[in-house]
Amino acid sequence: MKRNAAKLDGGTIWIGVNYWSRTGGPLMWRDYRPEVVVEELGIMRDHGITLTRSFFFWPDFMPAENTLDERLLRHFDDFLDRHRALGMSTIPTFIVGHMSGQNWDPAWRAGRDIFSDPSFVAQQEWYVRELTARWKDHPAVAGWLLTNEIPIYADWPSRGIGTLDSRAVTAWVKTLVEAIRSTGATQPVSVGDGAWGAEVTGADNGFRIRELAPLVDFHGPHVYRMENDQVRQHLGAAFICELLDIGGKPVVMEEFGLTSDYVSEENAAHYYRQILHNTLLAGATGWMPWNNTDYDALWNQEPYRHHPFEMHFGLTDDQGRPKEQLREVKRFTELLRKVDVARLHREDTGIALIVSSYLEKPYPFTQPEDHTSVFAHTRQAYVAAREADLPVGVAREADGIPEDCALYLLPSAKQLTAPGWRQLTARAEAGALVYASYFTGEHGVQRGPWWPKLDETFGVVKKLRYGLTDPIEDEELRLIFRRDFGGIAAGEELVLAVAGTEHSRSHLPVEPNGAEVIATDAHGRPALLSHARGRGRMVLCTYPIEHMAAVTPRVNPEPTWRLYAALAQEAGVAPEVTVPDPRVLVGRMAHEDGRVFVWFVSEHEEQLSCRPTLPQGAALRDLDGAPLTSVTLPPFGVIVAELTA
């Protein structure tokens, strides 16, 4: 299957930053100081950043209906000219009613609905069209964004979840995009909503990514997740990029970052390094951290007065001095130049991670956990696959199961549609290996696996009792292998986490009926079984191992990576380049001229050394051409090498 790494027209790669001047933050246009702007932009450019995302603070730029503030427009004229003089460009953002923990209405809104009130939508349409017409031909304009995180502005207590009408939202986006295009503007356009729709989160906030994809030119995730596991944190944004392979659009990391009030500067740099490299390997082709500078002088101005941590998301401090995270961005941009990133692509893969359509589809009479658990389990499976160095592709059931893979992973899935099951069994019959792990759900409504013909599919007889679970009583799960399986030898044990609710902490009691028992639990019960199906195999895990890991803090790396590596070996799609330590992730990208680059990404807080396994006759050399037989990584470090024959 193909893996997305689409680029904007012309192979453009955006290396940018979200920008407010330290002179005023959202109120900068009232006290616009060109000399400070030039200084701030120059510091960004000197560190490899050539793009900003800029913002029209809506209450100021449109003080009344059918009215624009001409003084502020002239300030933005100058702002664009300053970009052009420095060889930089910007992406203006129109509807800025939310920013950094504060919502601001234009004084004339009068409580009208943002998306469905005809008169209010007409005013937004006029506003967007007027501003676009003024600057559509300016060489410093690189693109347009409709909003900034408008689900929070529309309904901040819910962030739009369950409160916004998707039909009204989609019609509103269409209206504003058409307003931009009606001026003759040709730059890329997107929404600026954060890409928090059901297709990513499992919770419907009205901004349905599938419905908006035909209207936009790129997806722009905003990622600020708080986690309880270091590896899930470092791979969280990458997994979201994988999920945004919708409509073949480029994925631009429109917002990510952190406040210096939460972390040390050293750990801030580690986080930036991990996000930048892991999202590149996951298909992102643009990055815009939040944000350019700190705002200490604005301590008594909203939103910083009541959200003081928002003052310190900057890549520089309030005096313009670079922080280590800005230096990390510079190192990243220097690497991208060395590998000629505009001509890199992700190689096709034969390994598919299946995302149940229950993540995004509002099927009747389902529970919220049925949707959100899909995200948690597939993300944990993605982590395990990356720890096994597998070049996994994320395949949505809603798009149809791809037919060109040798290994399919279905992790802890309570629900898949009947057509989805038919497609998976057909893939096994055609010669693939299909793996699925049992999961009864996190709640008590229709508790059990929605797996039609479970017995026949997996060659077992299930011993379930209606309405009851089979609790996992042990404090840890021991998988004891009864024969060699992939790289796991007979007699080896994998010890995995046990966790979950009273409903989900359950296993599937079965007796083999045609299936071969590969591994048992500590009580001798079948835990992993393989069943021949046509020319391929169906492999069943009777424990929800991905679910249990997903709800366990500080669990990674955990042994599921060994199982996935063994499955890949059994399916004939073991990675060509790998390392034995799951704390080092291996990823690859290929250049259109035939060169292959290999990333080694450490997920450990101390220095690590490892010796990669390579294809016969192959070698590694660093980007300066020196041979590389082993890899020594600093804490959370990254090394990129070229794979040569």
Side-chain angles (χ1 to χ4, degrees), residues 165-183:
D165 182 344
S166 64
R167 293 168 298 180
V169 166
T170 301
W172 172 84
V173 170
K174 186 173 187 292
T175 295
L176 297 192
V177 171
E178 288 177 349
I180 293 171
R181 295 303 183 212
S182 71
T183 68

Side-chain angles (χ1 to χ4, degrees), residues 312-614:
H312 299 126
F313 273 82
L315 293 175
T316 70
D317 67 15
D318 68 310
Q319 300 301 309
R321 292 183 290 255
K323 299 181 186 177
E324 192 58 34
Q325 46 266 50
L326 179 55
R327 298 186 184 95
E328 198 61 51
V329 173
K330 183 177 183 181
R331 287 189 281 269
F332 182 65
T333 62
E334 290 170 347
L335 171 73
L336 296 186
R337 281 194 293 273
K338 285 184 177 181
V339 298
D340 190 14
V341 68
R343 298 171 66 192
L344 292 186
H345 64 272
R346 296 205 293 167
E347 297 166 300
D348 296 349
T349 184
I351 306 171
L353 173 60
I354 304 300
V355 181
S356 167
S357 59
Y358 285 79
L359 172 68
E360 60 181 281
K361 296 290 187 181
Y363 293 121
F365 300 103
T366 52
Q367 304 297 308
E369 298 92 336
D370 292 331
H371 310 294
T372 55
S373 68
V374 176
F375 173 86
H377 301 166
T378 49
R379 182 185 59 168
Q380 179 59 36
Y382 179 75
V383 169
R386 289 294 311 277
E387 289 169 342
D389 302 331
L390 304 184
V392 66
V394 174
R396 290 180 177 270
E397 181 199 5
D399 295 322
I401 306 298
E403 297 182 353
D404 55 355
C405 291
L407 174 62
Y408 297 84
L409 303 172
L410 180 62
S412 299
K414 171 185 172 73
Q415 293 141 323
L416 202 69
T417 65
W421 278 112
R422 287 288 183 102
Q423 292 175 56
L424 281 180
T425 54
R427 299 319 330 133
E429 289 167 355
L433 191 158
V434 176
Y435 159 89
S437 54
Y438 174 77
F439 176 58
T440 192
E442 295 181 271
H443 55 79
V445 179
Q446 291 298 333
R447 183 176 59 198
W450 295 19
W451 297 13
K453 299 285 187 181
L454 186 158
D455 291 10
E456 294 87 342
T457 300
F458 292 101
V460 298
V461 176
K462 60 182 176 291
K463 310 301 287 186
L464 293 168
R465 295 163 295 167
Y466 180 72
L468 301 174
T469 63
D470 291 84
I472 304 170
E473 297 176 347
D474 297 333
E475 292 307 310
E476 60 185 19
L477 169 62
R478 293 170 56 213
L479 290 185
I480 305 164
F481 282 77
R482 300 305 179 185
R483 71 160 175 88
D484 294 349
F485 187 73
I488 303 174
E492 275 199 76
E493 295 185 12
L494 302 184
V495 181
L496 298 104
V498 168
T501 69
E502 61 176 308
H503 310 289
S504 65
R505 185 170 166 155
S506 305
H507 70 98
L508 173 64
V510 299
E511 292 178 357
N513 183 27
E516 178 190 5
V517 176
I518 304 299
T520 60
D521 64 15
H523 306 281
R525 298 175 299 211
L528 191 71
L529 304 101
S530 176
H531 179 52
R533 183 87 185 216
R535 294 189 289 113
R537 282 186 285 168
M538 304 289 297
V539 174
L540 169 67
C541 181
T542 61
Y543 283 82
I545 59 174
E546 297 87 0
H547 164 69
M548 294 191 295
V551 297
T552 302
R554 296 171 294 280
V555 71
N556 289 299
E558 51 86 41
T560 302
W561 74 272
R562 295 236 18 229
L563 174 59
Y564 284 10
L567 289 165
Q569 190 167 330
E570 290 282 321
V573 285
E576 287 190 326
V577 181
T578 186
V579 296
D581 191 334
R583 298 171 298 177
V584 177
L585 315 180
V586 178
R588 290 170 48 144
M589 296 193 79
H591 195 280
E592 62 187 42
D593 66 8
R595 287 179 292 161
V596 174
F597 296 98
V598 182
W599 268 253
F600 299 93
V601 183
S602 172
E603 295 300 329
H604 192 53
E605 62 187 4
E606 298 177 1
Q607 179 175 292
L608 287 178
S609 294
C610 56
R611 190 179 185 91
T613 299
L614 304 175

